[in-house]
Amino acid sequence: MIEKINIRLIPEDSVSEKKILSEVSQISGIELKRINQWRIIKKSIDARQRQIYINLTILLAIDDDKGVGTKNAKEYSDVANSKNHIIIVGAGPAGLFAALRAIELGIKPIILERGSDVDTRRKDLANISKAGKINPESNYCFGEGGAGAYSDGKLFTRSKKRGNVDDVLQILHQFGASENILIDAHPHIGSDKLPLIIKNIRQTIIKCGGEVHFNTKVVSLIIEQKEVKGVEVASGNKLFGPVILATGHSARDVY
């Protein structure tokens, strides 16, 4: 049997396994000897009063059940020789996750990003602050990782109906984010850690046979008989196939 229990402890007790299990047993009425496995799945801080409390949501596996361990890392197979491919415009969060999902489905992703990779982008950002020079295609808005890669490391969504948020956090943890994001009420990766996570995702996409093209700006959609057949990039090259637009809110020229 799986049970979910909410408890509240003072900060020093919230890091003690003994105190956590004691409180869980007291609130739920479940004897400690019946608990096979337990895991914290959500943590938040209540600092509204002088005494600070830590709110914990605990998942319990009781009696013969042992199903509360963390999820196994996703495995991504080789799609280099897949008969199906998809063109993804943008290497921000939406584009990168679309590519990972495509690989799960056996589809080869081809990402086209107008900006630079995260390392080159760092230099472009330095040029803005030091020399006052802006690269219109690689800046705080455009480039690998999207607008959040260097300006913010928070993770927040108001939506509870558009997919499994926990799965997203698990994937980010798999690629290098702290385990804390799996339980914190308002998870934060950190702008210092995000570039490495983004590179890890990109390397996995390429290792699995996908393609990532930087400094490749899509300038138009190829439309035939009211159907999108592919894209044209600034160099004049054309790529044909189904298209996902993952351009972010800053690519107004696209819209």
Side-chain angles (χ1 to χ4, degrees), residues 42 45 49 53 62-63 72 75 78-79 86 95-96 98 129 136 141-142 153 178 183 188 196-197 202 216 241 249-250:
K42 192 63 64 180
I45 300 173
Q49 301 175 23
Y53 288 97
I62 303 165
D63 298 330
N72 294 327
E75 294 185 6
D78 192 336
V79 294
I86 192 162
L96 294 173
S129 57
C141 292
F142 302 137
S178 167
I183 62 173
H188 187 272
L196 178 59
I197 294 168
R202 182 224 306 161
T216 305
H249 63 70
S250 300

Side-chain angles (χ1 to χ4, degrees), residues 211-231:
E211 298 178 18
V212 182
H213 300 274
F214 297 111
N215 305 304
T216 305
K217 182 178 180 179
V218 171
V219 294
S220 66
L221 296 173
I222 299 170
I223 301 175
E224 297 176 4
Q225 298 180 344
K226 297 185 178 181
E227 278 191 27
V228 174
K229 297 295 184 179
V231 299

Side-chain angles (χ1 to χ4, degrees), residues 163-195:
N164 193 332
V165 175
D166 289 339
D167 274 357
V168 173
L169 298 178
Q170 287 282 354
I171 291 170
L172 288 168
H173 171 53
Q174 177 176 337
F175 284 103
S178 167
E179 191 174 12
N180 291 337
I181 71 167
L182 301 179
I183 62 173
D184 287 347
H186 297 285
H188 187 272
I189 288 180
S191 298
D192 56 328
K193 298 176 182 177
L194 267 172

Side-chain angles (χ1 to χ4, degrees), residues 97-123:
F97 272 80
L100 291 175
R101 183 60 179 147
I103 292 170
E104 284 186 69
L105 298 172
I107 300 168
K108 177 180 177 177
I110 301 172
I111 298 178
L112 307 178
E113 168 56 51
R114 69 193 293 172
S116 303
D117 62 86
V118 282
D119 291 328
T120 304
R121 196 176 166 197
R122 194 191 301 271
K123 299 173 185 176

